[in-house]
Amino acid sequence: MLLSYYCYLLCFTALCLAEDPYVYFDWTISYITASPLGIKQQVIGINGQFPGPILNVTTNWNVVVNVKNDLDEPMLLTWSGIQQRKDTWQDGVSGTNCPIPASWNWTYEFQVKDQIGSFFYFPSLSFQRAAGGYGGITINNRNVIPLPFATPDGDITLFISDWFIKSHKELRKEIETGVGLGAPDGILINGLGPYHYDNAVVSGGITYQTVNVESGKTYRLRVHNVGVSTSLNFRIQSHNLLLVETEGSYTVQQNYTSLDIHVGQSYSFLVTMDQNASSDYYIVASPRFVNSSDSSKSVGVSVLHYSNSQGPASGPLPDPPMESDTFFSMSQARSIRWNVSAGAARPNPQGSFKYGEITVTDVFVLHNRPAELIEGKWRTTLSGISYLAPSTPLKLAEQFNIPGVFKLDFPNKMMNRPAKVDTSVINGTYKAFVEIIFQNNDTTVQSYHLDGYAFFVVGMDYGLWTENSRSTYNKWDGVARCTTQVFPGAWTAILVFLDNPGIWNLRAQNLDSWYLGQETYINVVNPENSELPVPANTIFCGALSPLQKDQARRVNFSCAPSLMKTMKLIFIGFVVSLLGNFLR
């Protein structure tokens, strides 16, 4: 109780000093028992919750999250879409951080600098996201920056995901032996199984999600595909989805009856409760591009419940898109455009950065392939290279001048040579404007994500990308986001301005592809060395293991941020003293 009191006092004092506020979270990551599909299994929870808590913050706030690892294996949390300006140390991936060993803890401290929007966090190591450990990140506008739409009557977060009854350890073993994931056992919505809408498909007794709403009100729904490898079509029976934001960018506002949401992607919709409430309504997330006769059984269904509803949801589910229409999803993706007239984290319009007028300085054409045997092991590749994570994280190796950990030689095109396993990194030039083309030679939809940045999605099409493909690029209002899909036998082109120094992970969000090596890093060095210093609580591993200090001092949560200046501490002590005298 006393600890909480002092934490609130520190936050109040920071506000009085006109500093960006601090918010504090103390999380224990552990296994808990759940039955999302009616069968008891082990999942990863946070403070006993599955999914985990939502980080609800405002632009420029400082976030302090103390993470205690109560799993039986090392883990890290990564904050997908949070740009970690000049602070790679908080990114939580294997190239920047040593894993948090079992029974240890580590405190993340980062600022949501100049960002708004809908994101999520998840465990980044060892296929753990397949067991849960994820949660939402909501970054609200500062009051001085208006929303480009009327303030909603409520804010609702929905996590949609494919789900397997096998544990994440079993799944990763199968992946290592070349066994594909196959169709999921089910689709979860907020960690819960499907509503009992059809006796032939869904057995009784499964707990499902109910979303409670009021007739006539408009709600903002933040929908995240936090799954393993399955694209999902999201829709609500008899309701329109007005798309307004994706991964930190306001979009041109358009109505959709359904939207394909690919692995790792996040969207915000405004949904008005304009039906007569004669019954409840279905909320549906169904698999896309899954070649399996069992896919029809893998549908996530929850219930939209009006407070004045006259009865339960009934009848057939709203129809999904035709699976045979291969152009539906791509046409839909192309229709998502940037709202260039809206302000976001800053008052200037999003379109004030005229990306189409900037000269491209570097081009990378990244080819993927299905998993293949390389040196006797099943691996996936980007441009013929399967990434091998070294025991010493790249960023620590660079900081402490450890030679031979990685090479800055990632090729800008597919090389005419056998595929190989290597720790090869892209040598990024600070403030270069880079064009990256993802060429998907696999048979499934793949999603790609870049940490540290929002990039502009400027084009996608079926076939092989060529120089002439640039004539189709959207150079005005291509949406800025951090995760994009690439359809099978197709390409997607992005543009990114490398103004954030650090070493940043570029990866497949599909866990099977990522786990087997489909990733690399972009090393961006600012000659003026403007990055934040190594955190005082850094965990050391690999070649730097001798530097590791005793963990005992880190097991207790401290509410004081490490960056507090001496004058602030003196002022806080003065305030505490005054309050102590007052309360006597």
Side-chain angles (χ1 to χ4, degrees):
M1 186 71 182
L2 184 61
L3 178 63
S4 298
Y5 167 76
Y6 280 116
C7 283
Y8 283 119
L9 180 62
L10 285 174
C11 289
F12 173 77
T13 304
L15 286 168
C16 292
L17 292 167
E19 181 188 9
D20 292 319
Y22 280 81
V23 287
Y24 305 91
F25 302 89
D26 196 9
W27 289 356
T28 297
I29 316 294
S30 65
Y31 295 117
I32 62 175
T33 300
S35 305
L37 296 177
I39 299 172
K40 284 188 177 181
Q41 61 184 121
Q42 195 178 68
V43 305
I44 296 176
I46 300 178
N47 293 348
Q49 300 178 44
F50 168 66
I54 294 173
L55 289 178
N56 195 330
V57 296
T58 298
T59 301
N60 293 342
W61 281 16
N62 298 282
V63 180
V64 182
V65 185
N66 184 63
V67 173
K68 173 70 181 301
N69 179 13
D70 268 358
L71 303 180
D72 58 359
E73 57 186 6
M75 59 83 61
L76 286 169
L77 286 182
T78 190
W79 318 90
S80 188
I82 304 304
Q83 293 178 13
Q84 310 288 5
R85 303 298 297 181
K86 303 179 182 179
D87 196 7
T88 319
W89 305 109
Q90 308 298 322
D91 201 25
V93 289
S94 67
T96 59
N97 298 84
C98 292
I100 305 169
S103 79
W104 283 35
N105 81 313
W106 200 69
T107 302
Y108 292 88
E109 183 177 341
F110 56 87
Q111 186 178 28
V112 289
K113 180 69 174 174
D114 290 336
Q115 287 191 263
I116 57 94
S118 309
F119 311 94
F120 66 95
Y121 60 85
F122 64 89
S124 63
L125 303 180
S126 304
F127 227 76
Q128 290 165 354
R129 192 174 82 213
Y134 50 74
I137 305 173
T138 296
I139 308 179
N140 303 292
N141 285 54
R142 292 176 291 157
N143 290 334
V144 295
I145 310 296
L147 293 168
F149 44 82
T151 302
D153 296 299
D155 200 296
I156 298 166
T157 296
L158 296 176
F159 303 104
I160 59 176
S161 64
D162 53 5
W163 190 256
F164 297 83
I165 294 174
K166 291 178 180 177
S167 72
H168 72 284
K169 295 178 183 178
E170 292 175 296
L171 290 173
R172 73 191 184 205
K173 283 182 181 178
E174 290 187 352
I175 292 297
E176 289 169 355
T177 59
V179 177
L181 289 170
D185 296 309
I187 304 299
L188 306 189
I189 298 180
N190 282 2
L192 300 174
Y195 169 70
H196 189 206
Y197 68 95
D198 187 331
N199 291 333
V201 178
V202 182
S203 60
I206 293 178
T207 304
Y208 58 88
Q209 175 74 38
T210 298
V211 177
N212 295 307
V213 295
E214 299 284 336
S215 181
K217 292 188 175 181
T218 297
Y219 296 82
R220 182 171 182 172
L221 269 63
R222 302 175 191 264
V223 186
H224 310 273
N225 184 339
V226 295
V228 175
S229 65
T230 308
S231 299
L232 298 172
N233 180 265
F234 180 80
R235 54 200 185 274
I236 302 178
Q237 184 182 26
S238 303
H239 291 74
N240 283 321
L241 307 171
L242 181 63
L243 180 65
V244 294
E245 177 258 336
T246 180
E247 297 162 21
S249 289
Y250 291 123
T251 64
V252 172
Q253 295 176 21
Q254 300 178 81
N255 274 309
Y256 296 87
T257 55
S258 72
L259 189 73
D260 284 348
I261 303 179
H262 304 277
V263 177
Q265 292 186 330
S266 302
Y267 288 96
S268 280
F269 306 100
L270 295 183
V271 181
T272 300
M273 305 306 149
D274 54 5
Q275 299 302 298
N276 60 18
S278 59
S279 68
D280 292 340
Y281 299 90
Y282 297 124
I283 301 173
V284 181
S286 59
R288 294 278 280 142
F289 312 105
V290 175
N291 297 320
S292 170
S293 59
D294 294 331
S295 62
S296 61
K297 297 182 180 180
S298 304
V299 178
V301 183
S302 58
V303 170
L304 184 72
H305 174 69
Y306 281 51
S307 60
N308 60 338
S309 173
Q310 301 301 303
S314 61
L317 300 180
D319 290 332
M322 290 182 60
E323 194 69 22
S324 60
D325 185 355
T326 57
F327 285 91
F328 172 86
S329 191
M330 182 178 286
S331 298
Q332 194 179 64
R334 288 170 172 164
S335 72
I336 298 169
R337 295 176 292 125
W338 212 25
N339 185 344
V340 296
S341 63
R346 297 188 179 191
N348 49 298
Q350 291 182 147
S352 61
F353 185 84
K354 295 180 171 56
Y355 68 87
E357 298 177 5
I358 301 174
T359 301
V360 170
T361 52
D362 292 297
V363 180
F364 289 86
V365 183
L366 306 182
H367 287 252
N368 74 350
R369 288 202 297 250
E372 57 190 299
L373 280 171
I374 305 175
E375 299 175 6
K377 293 184 179 181
W378 286 98
R379 306 288 301 185
T380 55
T381 59
L382 280 179
S383 293
I385 299 176
S386 185
Y387 180 79
L388 178 65
S391 59
T392 306
L394 311 178
K395 188 61 184 173
L396 282 172
E398 181 185 65
Q399 179 71 31
F400 289 88
N401 297 313
I402 307 297
V405 173
F406 65 94
K407 295 176 284 188
L408 292 169
D409 63 351
F410 197 92
N412 60 7
K413 61 182 179 180
M414 188 74 177
M415 304 297 288
N416 185 21
R417 64 188 184 195
K420 65 176 183 177
V421 177
D422 204 356
T423 309
S424 180
V425 174
I426 293 174
N427 188 7
T429 303
Y430 182 59
K431 292 194 173 180
F433 197 53
V434 178
E435 178 183 11
I436 300 175
I437 297 96
F438 299 103
Q439 182 75 53
N440 185 0
N441 300 306
D442 207 336
T443 57
T444 59
V445 180
Q446 297 287 322
S447 295
Y448 291 93
H449 174 91
L450 176 60
D451 285 350
Y453 295 94
F455 50 70
F456 300 98
V457 182
V458 294
M460 61 179 66
D461 203 352
Y462 285 103
L464 190 67
W465 181 89
T466 68
E467 301 280 342
N468 293 332
S469 301
R470 293 193 179 104
S471 64
T472 68
Y473 283 6
N474 177 353
K475 294 188 176 182
W476 167 237
D477 61 356
V479 71
R481 62 186 314 164
C482 58
T483 305
T484 188
Q485 72 274 44
V486 191
F487 295 97
W491 57 267
T492 295
I494 66 172
L495 297 174
V496 57
F497 183 53
L498 299 182
D499 64 340
N500 189 16
I503 293 182
W504 303 107
N505 189 221
L506 175 64
R507 63 176 178 267
Q509 283 286 60
N510 303 54
L511 277 186
D512 48 350
S513 298
W514 184 10
Y515 183 73
L516 292 180
Q518 205 170 102
E519 66 175 317
T520 185
Y521 286 78
I522 302 179
N523 188 26
V524 183
V525 177
N526 181 355
E528 297 179 2
N529 192 26
S530 61
E531 293 183 64
L532 294 179
V534 183
N537 65 342
T538 294
I539 296 174
F540 294 100
C541 56
L544 296 170
S545 295
L547 298 180
Q548 182 57 48
K549 298 177 182 178
D550 182 15
Q551 256 281 308
R553 65 184 180 84
R554 296 192 199 125
V555 297
N556 295 318
F557 176 56
S558 170
C559 64
S562 62
L563 298 180
M564 278 288 188
K565 296 179 182 177
T566 303
M567 289 302 295
K568 293 176 189 173
L569 292 172
I570 294 172
F571 182 79
I572 291 168
F574 176 69
V575 172
V576 171
S577 177
L578 285 179
L579 286 175
N581 291 331
F582 177 77
L583 294 172
R584 284 175 186 164

